[in-house]
Amino acid sequence: MDIFMDRIVRFTRKQPSAVQYGVLSSAAALVVLYFFSHDVLYLVSFLAEVLRFLGVLLLLQRIVVNKTCHDISLKSQQLYCAVFFTRMCFKLFYESDMLYAFVEGLCLAATAYIVYLMMGKYNPTYSRENDVVKSWVVLLACILVALVLHPDVTRDWKINVLWAFSTYLECLTLLPQIVIVHRKRSVENMISHYIASLFASRVLEGSFWVIALLIRGYARVWRTIPYYVIVTELVHTALLSDFIFYYIKSWRSNSKMVLPGN
């Protein structure tokens, strides 16, 4: 495994643009494939999945190439493992959508490998002192709320709770990473791109629900779902609004992203 990863590192350092082009091309191929087998609504949803996967790959590339996990939240990555696992189970066992489940599996595998690197090989570079959010509190809170408040997605109570738990957890998963970012103020480009990719993915998921509920009229079928979706999207947007504002500002000025002090 180490020899294989060393080869990837050397290749990435020599031809970073080629690697990124290959990733984007592969993602585009999957999107085109999905376009010809589903309608626009599902294309939007699947594109959100691809963007999320690209964000995870960007973060993994940063760790492997720079040989450090400095300023990356281990707790956010652990929570994302739970998110990707539950989403994969929902797609696989309820919706029976193998392509969706495959992408979720890729996200899970890449994120689990990030956790493995952060807890092992690159643990000495982990910013433990800044990763202060108690992830178990976030996890437990989402479980308890999902048990009480969950929409009638299916007739199976367990599936409904699983869907709600995944939805609640995903909107809070970046909280530990955002805390680190605000503590450090200066944000490395690759980390900022990673967070922005996940935010863009959520925007597309929000677009999916707008199309499904308001344009396609699915609100008549999914009567309770809109309330859960709106609340989680508002929470997620509130957490990242400040970050995204300064991300766009730094991108337009072609400068390193720096958050304002308190």
Side-chain angles (χ1 to χ4, degrees):
M1 176 63 73
D2 290 337
I3 296 176
F4 177 71
M5 292 308 301
D6 287 340
R7 290 179 179 176
I8 293 179
V9 170
R10 288 197 297 270
F11 180 76
T12 305
R13 283 176 172 170
K14 292 179 181 179
Q15 305 177 47
S17 59
V19 173
Q20 294 170 6
Y21 178 78
V23 171
L24 291 174
S25 298
S26 300
L30 285 173
V31 171
V32 171
L33 172 64
Y34 211 68
F35 177 79
F36 283 108
S37 58
H38 296 77
D39 62 18
V40 175
L41 180 64
Y42 289 95
L43 174 64
V44 171
S45 180
F46 185 71
L47 184 57
E49 302 281 350
V50 172
L51 273 177
R52 187 183 295 110
F53 178 54
L54 288 176
V56 175
L57 287 184
L58 283 176
L59 191 65
L60 180 57
Q61 181 189 31
R62 185 264 190 184
I63 294 174
V64 172
V65 172
N66 296 340
K67 297 183 181 300
T68 179
C69 58
H70 187 63
D71 292 345
I72 297 175
S73 171
L74 173 61
K75 294 176 181 178
S76 277
Q77 298 307 308
Q78 291 171 331
L79 290 175
Y80 261 119
C81 282
V83 170
F84 293 140
F85 177 74
T86 54
R87 287 174 64 95
M88 182 180 67
C89 289
F90 185 81
K91 299 293 183 182
L92 192 62
F93 299 114
Y94 173 67
E95 294 186 347
S96 300
D97 194 319
M98 301 305 294
L99 187 54
Y100 264 101
F102 175 70
V103 177
E104 294 291 355
L106 291 177
C107 289
L108 175 60
T111 305
Y113 187 58
I114 289 174
V115 171
Y116 168 77
L117 292 176
M118 293 185 69
M119 296 182 68
K121 187 175 182 179
Y122 300 123
N123 187 258
T125 66
Y126 168 45
S127 307
R128 190 183 308 275
E129 68 281 1
N130 291 319
D131 204 4
V132 296
V133 174
K134 297 184 183 300
S135 55
W136 68 268
V137 174
V138 176
L139 194 66
L140 181 60
C142 291
I143 291 174
L144 293 177
V145 175
L147 288 171
V148 178
L149 299 174
H150 50 268
D152 297 326
V153 182
T154 72
R155 296 181 179 180
D156 191 329
W157 178 82
K158 297 185 295 296
I159 297 295
N160 295 338
V161 171
L162 181 68
W163 185 92
F165 167 72
S166 177
T167 302
Y168 298 153
L169 184 60
E170 187 176 9
C171 79
L172 295 174
T173 299
L174 273 178
L175 180 59
Q177 183 65 61
I178 293 299
V179 170
I180 290 181
V181 165
H182 279 277
R183 280 179 161 234
K184 299 291 293 185
R185 291 185 55 203
S186 179
V187 187
E188 187 179 319
N189 286 338
M190 198 67 81
I191 295 177
S192 66
H193 295 333
Y194 162 71
I195 298 175
S197 295
L198 297 180
F199 179 78
S201 172
R202 291 288 299 192
V203 170
L204 282 174
E205 285 191 353
S207 302
F208 165 84
W209 288 109
V210 170
I211 295 172
L213 299 174
L214 300 182
I215 299 177
R216 294 292 181 85
Y218 288 177
R220 294 190 298 270
V221 180
W222 300 332
R223 294 182 179 179
T224 58
I225 289 181
Y227 302 103
Y228 296 89
V229 172
I230 291 172
V231 170
T232 54
E233 290 296 336
L234 287 176
V235 170
H236 188 268
T237 301
L239 285 176
L240 293 180
S241 57
D242 185 48
F243 174 89
I244 294 300
F245 173 79
Y246 288 101
Y247 174 81
I248 295 174
K249 186 177 180 180
S250 66
W251 175 73
R252 293 183 65 181
S253 61
N254 195 28
S255 60
K256 186 175 182 179
M257 182 176 172
V258 179
L259 296 174
N262 295 327

